[in-house]
Amino acid sequence: MRTKIVAGNWKMNKTFLEAEELVAQVAEAMDTRKLDNKAVVLCPPFPYLELATDIAKDAKFSVGAQNVYPDDSGAYTGEVSPPMLKSMEVEYCIIGHSERRKYFAESNEFLAGKLDGLLKHDIIPIFCCGEVLPEREAKKHFKVVEKQLNESLFHLKKNEMAKVVVAYEPVWAIGTGVNATPEQAQEMHAFIRGLIGKKYSKKIADDITILYGGSCNAKNAKELFSNPDVDGGLIGGASLKAVDFLAIVDAL
Ligand code: PGA
């Protein structure tokens, strides 16, 4: 059965006290909400993960990291490994975000290693994919996303693939205030689900969670989430204020 998810990607925002306040606000508000087949995930910066996992123990949300290194340990100054995240009870980890691809030159191949590292330690990867504007304008968006899935995800075995969450994030929609239309999101999500169905099985494709990300906010979330293949959202800017984020949670 498909889990619906709203995940907040805080990116490089908030001081410690601000992070503490936002986590507490979400925790308190989630108290009166029912989760059923849904998950709410907060992805704060690394230094605040423990603060978040501590509060999450008695609250109805989960915690995710925004990045990880593929290996378990080693001489990689400044990096954080999957077993480190696991030891802090982090359940999810975003990988392949377009900002990591752009500013840190992360390739599809490198991301494949991150997926393996996370799955080995039973952490759920939230794998981001999506095209840049010139690629969409040249009508290459399906090809670009297919290549990202082929090169980063499709080496996984069936039982591994069944644990992955995919996030479609058209790069032109991230932080721009221009979201994909519900039709554009649905079209790409159905395409991704179709590829997974062909490569793995209909059951795995039916059960996999595919999130939309890119200027998703309290106003447009309901319409985006009402599409049959849009199973929630990966939220950047609108996850930084509890009221906005909770309105999106309520749209699920
Ligand atoms: P945005 O970011 O909601 O601020 O557009 C989404 C993301 O980058 O995950």
Side-chain angles (χ1 to χ4, degrees):
M1 196 173 178
R2 220 182 279 176
T3 308
K4 301 218 168 195
I5 299 176
V6 170
N9 174 12
W10 292 9
K11 309 193 181 183
M12 197 176 72
N13 291 295
K14 305 282 177 194
T15 61
F16 183 78
L17 287 181
E18 289 165 351
E20 206 171 27
E21 189 185 5
L22 181 51
V23 174
Q25 285 169 341
V26 172
E28 193 190 330
M30 288 308 298
D31 235 16
T32 53
R33 285 165 166 84
K34 271 209 185 132
L35 277 181
D36 296 327
N37 210 36
K38 297 176 191 169
V40 171
V41 184
L42 298 185
C43 304
F46 283 136
Y48 313 144
L49 284 174
E50 198 192 348
L51 151 80
T53 53
D54 254 7
I55 297 178
K57 275 181 204 137
D58 303 308
K60 290 187 218 154
F61 70 89
S62 304
V63 178
Q66 297 175 19
N67 185 31
V68 73
Y69 194 79
D71 292 0
D72 282 3
S73 62
Y76 300 103
T77 302
E79 291 299 305
V80 172
S81 74
M84 290 176 188
L85 296 180
K86 191 70 193 175
S87 70
M88 292 170 78
E89 293 171 62
V90 169
E91 290 177 67
Y92 293 80
C93 183
I94 299 169
I95 59 165
H97 192 281
S98 65
E99 288 148 17
R100 304 260 359 143
R101 294 176 188 264
K102 180 175 172 192
Y103 302 125
F104 303 96
E106 294 193 1
S107 66
N108 290 339
E109 192 191 7
F110 187 53
L111 296 173
K114 292 190 181 204
L115 272 155
D116 295 340
L118 289 172
L119 290 167
K120 183 172 147 199
H121 293 282
D122 218 11
I123 298 168
I124 302 168
I126 302 177
F127 175 75
C128 303
C129 56
E131 80 286 354
V132 296
L133 189 58
E135 290 166 341
R136 177 162 282 265
E137 285 171 347
K139 303 203 181 338
K140 288 188 184 144
H141 43 295
F142 293 115
K143 278 225 146 31
V144 169
V145 169
E146 184 168 2
K147 186 168 157 58
Q148 290 170 337
L149 298 181
N150 266 330
E151 294 181 1
S152 298
L153 274 191
F154 285 176
H155 66 288
L156 297 178
K157 298 191 195 88
K158 273 191 177 178
N159 65 324
E160 294 172 325
M161 188 64 195
K163 293 178 187 153
V164 173
V165 171
V166 175
Y168 170 56
E169 298 210 310
V171 182
W172 46 271
I174 296 177
T176 58
V178 182
N179 59 288
T181 64
E183 295 74 24
Q184 286 170 326
Q186 168 57 27
E187 189 185 31
M188 183 60 87
H189 285 225
F191 174 72
I192 293 170
R193 204 179 298 286
L195 290 177
I196 295 168
K198 253 191 252 162
K199 174 77 188 172
Y200 293 93
S201 69
K202 184 172 181 316
K203 164 110 182 75
I204 289 178
D206 279 349
D207 287 353
I208 204 158
T209 302
I210 308 179
L211 307 180
Y212 168 77
S215 298
C216 183
N217 58 36
K219 284 204 184 99
N220 59 29
K222 194 140 199 105
E223 213 188 336
L224 284 160
F225 299 168
S226 67
N227 289 284
D229 289 297
V230 180
D231 310 315
L234 180 55
I235 317 300
S239 71
L240 296 174
K241 265 172 79 185
V243 278
D244 295 344
F245 183 65
L246 291 159
I248 299 171
V249 168
D250 291 338
L252 197 60

